[in-house]
Amino acid sequence: MAVTDDAILRVKEMIVSGELKPGDRLPREADLAGRLGLSRNSLREAVKALSLVRVLDVRQGDGTYVSSLRADDLLGALSFVLDLHRGEDSVLEVLQVRRILEPAAAAMAAQRVGPEEVAALRALCDAAEAARSVEELVEHDLAFHRAIARASGNAYLARLLDTLAGPTVRVRIWRGITQGGAVERTVAEHRAIVDALAARQTELARSWSTVHVAGVEQWLSDLT
């Protein structure tokens, strides 16, 4: 494993330094191994590992290429990992991360959100209020948070938050079914966030977003 880890670091250094750029084809295996002072076997294992996390793209019969290195591609591996950890403790930790990141996204969105985006967010609030089931409400909730993350203007942050949202869906549904007033509270907090965004009140948007995510986190923490 140590030899493979070294091989991974060597290839990573070539990408970070700019020697290999997104879309570039790697040199032939024998040539690259000789150049880096690695065995072909260790290089092969490194390529496999880096392809799993979508840094490299192995095309049968064509060679190995550096991927686009876009946030969407690279964070897909995180989604896979999160799918394997769906216990209450893991979900609580995911909510803690969301509590840190979502307010930051809301604050960034408040600085650049446009009238059309605000209108779309208000429409999502109306749809959530009219939802006929908790599952439908959660779908609107996910769309609401996704829209704010996109409005932040940071593609990496938006993709990361979208990835982190998945493990908390079951908890949101559970809370909506079992906690009195959860649905009304969710809609009211959404509207407060949108009002802050529309007024371009950065810190108020951050605060309401913190309250919103922290409510779910506290509810789950009280149960565990």
XYZ file of all heavy atoms in Angstrom, residues 140-211:
555
model
N -39.658 19.750 -1.994
C -39.589 21.207 -2.173
C -38.469 21.797 -1.305
O -37.802 22.758 -1.710
C -40.929 21.845 -1.811
C -42.044 21.496 -2.745
N -41.924 21.598 -4.120
C -43.307 21.039 -2.516
C -43.063 21.222 -4.690
N -43.904 20.881 -3.742
N -38.276 21.215 -0.134
C -37.211 21.668 0.760
C -35.848 21.460 0.105
O -34.990 22.356 0.122
C -37.290 20.895 2.077
C -36.223 21.329 3.073
O -36.173 22.516 3.407
O -35.424 20.473 3.500
N -35.643 20.306 -0.491
C -34.386 20.024 -1.179
C -34.167 20.995 -2.336
O -33.065 21.517 -2.529
C -34.383 18.581 -1.702
C -34.290 17.470 -0.648
C -34.566 16.111 -1.289
C -32.925 17.472 0.007
N -35.221 21.244 -3.106
C -35.120 22.167 -4.240
C -34.803 23.586 -3.762
O -34.035 24.316 -4.393
C -36.421 22.164 -5.040
N -35.371 23.962 -2.623
C -35.143 25.295 -2.048
C -33.672 25.483 -1.680
O -33.039 26.468 -2.065
C -36.039 25.448 -0.813
C -35.898 26.765 -0.107
C -36.626 27.869 -0.521
C -35.049 26.903 0.986
C -36.509 29.095 0.135
C -34.924 28.114 1.648
C -35.655 29.221 1.223
N -33.131 24.518 -0.960
C -31.735 24.624 -0.537
C -30.788 24.537 -1.732
O -29.747 25.204 -1.761
C -31.419 23.528 0.487
C -32.056 23.772 1.816
N -31.501 24.602 2.761
C -33.213 23.312 2.354
C -32.279 24.645 3.830
N -33.326 23.875 3.601
N -31.157 23.732 -2.711
C -30.332 23.608 -3.914
C -30.289 24.943 -4.670
O -29.239 25.348 -5.176
C -30.893 22.492 -4.798
C -29.990 22.081 -5.949
C -30.595 20.922 -6.713
N -30.661 19.717 -5.886
C -31.787 19.049 -5.617
N -32.949 19.474 -6.113
N -31.756 17.972 -4.874
N -31.418 25.623 -4.728
C -31.487 26.900 -5.438
C -30.646 27.972 -4.747
O -29.980 28.774 -5.413
C -32.945 27.359 -5.538
N -30.673 27.987 -3.423
C -29.859 28.965 -2.687
C -28.373 28.675 -2.903
O -27.567 29.589 -3.102
C -30.208 28.949 -1.190
C -31.614 29.508 -0.976
C -29.186 29.763 -0.391
C -32.070 29.484 0.459
N -28.009 27.398 -2.861
C -26.605 27.032 -3.071
C -26.138 27.459 -4.454
O -25.028 27.971 -4.624
C -26.421 25.533 -2.878
N -26.989 27.271 -5.466
C -26.634 27.713 -6.826
C -26.489 29.232 -6.885
O -25.610 29.763 -7.548
C -27.689 27.251 -7.831
C -27.617 25.782 -8.207
C -28.360 25.530 -9.515
N -29.747 25.992 -9.436
C -30.769 25.229 -9.088
N -30.574 23.963 -8.779
N -31.999 25.725 -9.052
N -27.365 29.922 -6.145
C -27.328 31.385 -6.146
C -26.075 31.933 -5.482
O -25.727 33.100 -5.679
C -28.568 31.935 -5.447
N -25.377 31.088 -4.715
C -24.135 31.533 -4.081
C -23.062 31.839 -5.121
O -22.117 32.584 -4.868
C -23.607 30.469 -3.114
O -23.047 29.361 -3.818
N -23.202 31.229 -6.307
C -22.235 31.447 -7.369
C -20.995 30.589 -7.279
O -20.089 30.717 -8.097
N -20.956 29.693 -6.289
C -19.794 28.823 -6.104
C -20.184 27.391 -6.455
O -20.925 26.741 -5.706
C -19.311 28.902 -4.656
C -17.995 28.184 -4.423
O -17.854 27.007 -4.760
N -17.039 28.866 -3.850
N -19.702 26.904 -7.592
C -20.100 25.577 -8.072
C -19.671 24.463 -7.129
O -20.390 23.480 -6.945
C -19.526 25.335 -9.467
N -18.500 24.612 -6.514
C -18.016 23.577 -5.603
C -18.896 23.504 -4.367
O -19.268 22.419 -3.900
C -16.563 23.856 -5.187
C -15.556 23.562 -6.261
C -15.238 24.518 -7.211
C -14.943 22.318 -6.340
C -14.319 24.245 -8.213
C -14.028 22.038 -7.336
C -13.718 23.008 -8.272
O -12.823 22.727 -9.265
N -19.234 24.664 -3.812
C -20.082 24.704 -2.624
C -21.463 24.147 -2.939
O -22.030 23.380 -2.156
C -20.187 26.144 -2.114
C -21.029 26.374 -0.852
C -20.493 25.549 0.309
C -21.041 27.861 -0.494
N -22.008 24.518 -4.095
C -23.334 24.041 -4.478
C -23.352 22.522 -4.623
O -24.273 21.846 -4.148
C -23.771 24.708 -5.782
N -22.343 21.963 -5.264
C -22.295 20.514 -5.462
C -22.068 19.789 -4.145
O -22.668 18.727 -3.894
C -21.175 20.162 -6.453
C -21.099 18.668 -6.767
C -22.340 18.214 -7.498
N -22.283 16.812 -7.866
C -22.773 15.817 -7.123
N -23.353 16.073 -5.975
N -22.674 14.562 -7.539
N -21.232 20.354 -3.296
C -20.970 19.732 -2.000
C -22.237 19.706 -1.146
O -22.572 18.678 -0.544
C -19.860 20.492 -1.271
C -19.486 19.993 0.134
C -19.088 18.521 0.100
C -18.361 20.836 0.709
N -22.967 20.816 -1.112
C -24.197 20.859 -0.323
C -25.249 19.914 -0.885
O -25.998 19.284 -0.132
C -24.732 22.291 -0.275
C -23.968 23.241 0.651
C -24.450 24.674 0.484
C -24.109 22.797 2.107
N -25.315 19.806 -2.198
C -26.271 18.883 -2.808
C -25.933 17.442 -2.429
O -26.819 16.621 -2.167
C -26.244 19.053 -4.326
C -27.441 18.406 -5.002
O -28.534 18.423 -4.404
O -27.290 17.884 -6.115
N -24.639 17.140 -2.369
C -24.191 15.806 -1.972
C -24.530 15.529 -0.507
O -24.967 14.436 -0.151
C -22.672 15.665 -2.183
O -22.369 15.878 -3.566
C -22.185 14.281 -1.779
N -24.357 16.529 0.333
C -24.621 16.361 1.764
C -26.110 16.279 2.072
O -26.495 15.777 3.132
C -24.012 17.533 2.546
C -22.480 17.609 2.588
C -22.037 18.921 3.215
C -21.907 16.428 3.378
N -26.944 16.755 1.166
C -28.387 16.744 1.411
C -28.963 15.335 1.397
O -29.902 15.025 2.138
C -29.100 17.609 0.373
N -28.393 14.468 0.568
C -28.939 13.119 0.405
C -29.118 12.334 1.693
O -30.206 11.801 1.965
N -28.082 12.225 2.536
C -28.203 11.412 3.750
C -29.223 11.937 4.761
O -29.604 11.220 5.679
C -26.781 11.478 4.345
C -25.895 11.816 3.198
C -26.712 12.713 2.335
N -29.661 13.204 4.605
C -30.573 13.775 5.602
C -32.033 13.708 5.183
O -32.909 14.141 5.931
C -30.200 15.243 5.890
O -30.425 16.036 4.721
C -28.741 15.362 6.304
N -32.313 13.184 3.996
C -33.700 13.148 3.520
C -34.588 12.343 4.449
O -35.687 12.770 4.836
C -33.768 12.566 2.087
C -35.216 12.294 1.698
C -33.136 13.528 1.099
N -34.121 11.149 4.836
C -34.938 10.290 5.705
C -35.242 10.980 7.030
O -36.353 10.891 7.558
C -34.204 8.971 5.961
C -34.993 7.974 6.800
C -34.275 6.638 6.852
N -32.951 6.751 7.436
C -32.714 6.682 8.759
N -33.725 6.534 9.595
N -31.476 6.775 9.213
N -34.257 11.688 7.559
C -34.443 12.387 8.831
C -35.463 13.511 8.689
O -36.295 13.736 9.568
C -33.096 12.949 9.341
C -33.297 13.899 10.507
C -32.182 11.810 9.755
N -35.414 14.226 7.574
C -36.370 15.313 7.360
C -37.796 14.783 7.291
O -38.725 15.381 7.848
C -36.027 16.054 6.071
C -34.692 16.779 6.100
C -34.461 17.503 4.791
N -33.088 17.963 4.679
C -32.636 18.672 3.658
N -33.432 18.975 2.661
N -31.368 19.065 3.620
N -37.974 13.663 6.599
C -39.307 13.058 6.509
C -39.768 12.600 7.882
O -40.915 12.831 8.297
C -39.290 11.883 5.512
C -39.039 12.398 4.094
C -40.600 11.102 5.575
C -38.885 11.307 3.053
N -38.879 11.951 8.616
C -39.176 11.455 9.951
C -39.599 12.604 10.865
O -40.577 12.521 11.602
C -37.923 10.758 10.481
C -38.073 10.063 11.802
C -39.226 9.736 12.443
C -37.011 9.593 12.636
N -38.961 9.102 13.634
C -37.608 9.007 13.766
C -35.622 9.614 12.524
C -36.835 8.448 14.794
C -34.871 9.061 13.540
C -35.473 8.483 14.661
N -38.856 13.701 10.807
C -39.182 14.850 11.650
C -40.545 15.426 11.275
O -41.353 15.780 12.135
C -38.110 15.927 11.491
C -38.336 17.147 12.392
C -37.479 18.305 11.949
N -37.559 19.427 12.850
C -37.397 20.684 12.480
N -37.132 20.967 11.215
N -37.473 21.673 13.354
N -40.814 15.539 9.955
C -42.077 16.100 9.509
C -43.276 15.293 9.968
O -44.349 15.839 10.224
N -43.093 13.979 10.079
C -44.186 13.101 10.503
C -44.388 13.134 12.014
O -45.519 13.139 12.509
C -43.909 11.648 10.038
C -43.966 11.572 8.507
C -44.897 10.668 10.657
C -43.527 10.236 7.948
N -43.286 13.168 12.757
C -43.377 12.973 14.207
C -43.366 14.237 15.050
O -43.878 14.226 16.173
C -42.213 12.078 14.689
O -40.962 12.725 14.408
C -42.244 10.724 13.992
N -42.788 15.329 14.545
C -42.690 16.529 15.368
C -43.800 17.515 15.035
O -43.945 17.946 13.902
C -41.330 17.213 15.190
C -41.123 18.387 16.152
C -39.795 19.077 15.933
O -39.380 19.272 14.800
N -39.131 19.442 17.019
N -44.567 17.867 16.035
C -45.664 18.805 15.838
C -45.164 20.164 15.374
O -44.221 20.713 15.934
N -45.815 20.711 14.364
C -45.473 22.039 13.871
C -44.238 22.104 12.994
O -43.836 23.198 12.573
N -43.631 20.961 12.699
C -42.387 20.962 11.917
C -42.606 21.503 10.511
O -41.775 22.240 9.984
C -41.806 19.555 11.855
N -43.744 21.145 9.905
C -44.021 21.582 8.539
C -44.181 23.103 8.492
O -43.574 23.788 7.669
C -45.292 20.899 7.999
C -45.668 21.480 6.637
C -45.074 19.395 7.891
N -45.005 23.630 9.399
C -45.228 25.079 9.434
C -43.932 25.828 9.729
O -43.664 26.901 9.149
C -46.284 25.420 10.496
C -47.687 24.913 10.189
C -47.853 23.424 10.465
O -46.911 22.821 11.040
O -48.904 22.866 10.086
N -43.128 25.277 10.625
C -41.862 25.921 10.982
C -40.915 25.945 9.785
O -40.237 26.944 9.534
C -41.220 25.185 12.155
C -40.005 25.907 12.742
C -39.433 25.160 13.940
N -40.434 24.980 14.978
C -40.930 23.806 15.347
N -40.511 22.697 14.754
N -41.831 23.726 16.299
N -40.878 24.844 9.039
C -40.011 24.774 7.865
C -40.371 25.858 6.851
O -39.502 26.576 6.350
C -40.108 23.391 7.202
O -39.577 22.413 8.081
C -39.332 23.352 5.890
N -41.657 25.985 6.558
C -42.102 26.978 5.572
C -41.824 28.390 6.067
O -41.348 29.253 5.306
C -43.608 26.802 5.273
C -44.102 27.926 4.357
C -43.876 25.447 4.628
N -42.086 28.651 7.343
C -41.855 29.989 7.900
C -40.371 30.361 7.843
O -40.017 31.505 7.501
C -42.362 30.046 9.345
N -39.521 29.412 8.154
C -38.081 29.687 8.107
C -37.599 29.898 6.675
O -36.740 30.747 6.414
C -37.323 28.557 8.791
C -37.520 28.547 10.307
C -36.990 27.288 10.998
O -36.534 26.369 10.278
O -37.049 27.224 12.227
N -38.173 29.138 5.746
C -37.833 29.342 4.335
C -38.193 30.765 3.899
O -37.413 31.442 3.219
C -38.577 28.339 3.459
C -37.930 26.990 3.415
N -38.302 26.021 2.503
C -36.947 26.434 4.161
C -37.565 24.931 2.687
N -36.753 25.162 3.696
N -39.380 31.204 4.282
C -39.815 32.548 3.881
C -38.921 33.622 4.509
O -38.618 34.645 3.866
C -41.278 32.772 4.278
C -42.272 31.905 3.501
C -43.698 32.374 3.681
N -44.656 31.485 3.049
C -44.925 31.458 1.754
N -44.291 32.284 0.930
N -45.831 30.630 1.267
N -38.496 33.390 5.745
C -37.616 34.358 6.400
C -36.264 34.444 5.684
O -35.690 35.532 5.527
C -37.418 33.968 7.863
N -35.766 33.297 5.235
C -34.500 33.281 4.489
C -34.650 34.050 3.179
O -33.790 34.863 2.815
C -34.053 31.827 4.209
C -33.674 31.129 5.525
C -32.866 31.808 3.244
C -33.441 29.633 5.374
N -35.760 33.813 2.469
C -35.978 34.500 1.190
C -36.109 36.009 1.396
O -35.561 36.806 0.623
C -37.236 33.958 0.473
C -37.464 34.718 -0.833
C -37.088 32.477 0.179
N -36.821 36.421 2.446
C -36.961 37.852 2.720
C -35.584 38.493 2.948
O -35.324 39.610 2.484
C -37.841 38.073 3.953
C -39.316 37.787 3.671
O -39.694 37.736 2.486
O -40.078 37.601 4.645
N -34.724 37.786 3.672
C -33.379 38.305 3.929
C -32.573 38.381 2.633
O -31.834 39.352 2.401
C -32.665 37.422 4.947
N -32.722 37.383 1.781
C -32.021 37.392 0.495
C -32.505 38.550 -0.378
O -31.704 39.259 -0.984
C -32.237 36.065 -0.242
C -31.615 34.807 0.367
C -32.042 33.577 -0.433
C -30.105 34.907 0.397
N -33.830 38.708 -0.430
C -34.410 39.765 -1.264
C -33.950 41.142 -0.806
O -33.755 42.053 -1.628
C -35.934 39.674 -1.243
N -33.771 41.301 0.501
C -33.329 42.588 1.058
C -31.809 42.726 1.033
O -31.283 43.752 1.476
C -33.848 42.725 2.490
N -31.130 41.690 0.536
C -29.665 41.655 0.505
C -29.050 41.866 1.893
O -28.012 42.528 2.040
C -29.123 42.687 -0.485
C -29.518 42.394 -1.928
C -28.722 43.210 -2.920
N -29.074 42.882 -4.298
C -28.610 41.841 -4.977
N -27.750 41.017 -4.380
N -28.966 41.618 -6.226
N -29.716 41.292 2.884
C -29.216 41.369 4.254
C -28.391 40.107 4.530
O -28.918 39.076 4.946
C -30.369 41.504 5.243
C -31.105 42.838 5.109
C -32.196 42.994 6.140
O -33.006 42.094 6.342
N -32.236 44.145 6.798
N -27.113 40.222 4.291
C -26.208 39.079 4.331
C -26.232 38.343 5.662
O -26.400 37.121 5.712
C -24.760 39.539 4.039
O -24.743 40.182 2.768
C -23.810 38.356 4.027
N -26.063 39.070 6.746
C -25.975 38.429 8.057
C -27.308 37.865 8.512
O -27.361 36.856 9.213
C -25.409 39.398 9.091
C -23.952 39.760 8.849
C -23.085 38.517 8.665
O -23.195 37.572 9.472
O -22.291 38.488 7.697
N -28.398 38.513 8.122
C -29.717 37.988 8.471
C -29.980 36.679 7.726
O -30.530 35.724 8.295
C -30.795 39.015 8.134
C -32.215 38.681 8.623
C -32.236 38.485 10.130
C -33.194 39.777 8.211
N -29.580 36.633 6.455
C -29.725 35.396 5.689
C -28.895 34.287 6.319
O -29.342 33.133 6.434
C -29.289 35.619 4.236
N -27.696 34.631 6.741
C -26.833 33.650 7.402
C -27.477 33.138 8.698
O -27.485 31.943 8.977
C -25.476 34.276 7.700
C -24.421 33.286 8.198
C -23.235 33.998 8.830
N -22.654 35.012 7.959
C -21.720 34.757 7.054
N -21.261 33.532 6.891
N -21.224 35.748 6.310
N -28.038 34.055 9.468
C -28.625 33.694 10.761
C -29.850 32.795 10.603
O -29.988 31.786 11.306
C -29.004 34.958 11.540
O -27.862 35.734 11.832
N -30.744 33.167 9.683
C -31.937 32.350 9.485
C -31.581 30.966 8.940
O -32.208 29.965 9.310
C -32.911 33.050 8.538
C -33.869 33.953 9.255
C -33.984 35.302 9.140
C -34.858 33.547 10.207
N -34.975 35.775 9.968
C -35.536 34.725 10.626
C -35.243 32.324 10.748
C -36.569 34.694 11.568
C -36.281 32.298 11.693
C -36.931 33.464 12.085
N -30.592 30.896 8.089
C -30.154 29.602 7.574
C -29.582 28.740 8.698
O -29.834 27.525 8.753
C -29.117 29.808 6.474
O -28.715 28.571 5.927
N -28.841 29.365 9.600
C -28.291 28.632 10.740
C -29.407 28.081 11.606
O -29.394 26.907 12.020
C -27.387 29.552 11.587
O -26.319 30.045 10.778
C -26.798 28.796 12.769
N -30.390 28.911 11.909
C -31.531 28.487 12.728
C -32.258 27.321 12.062
O -32.645 26.343 12.715
C -32.502 29.675 12.944
C -33.831 29.191 13.517
C -31.875 30.708 13.869
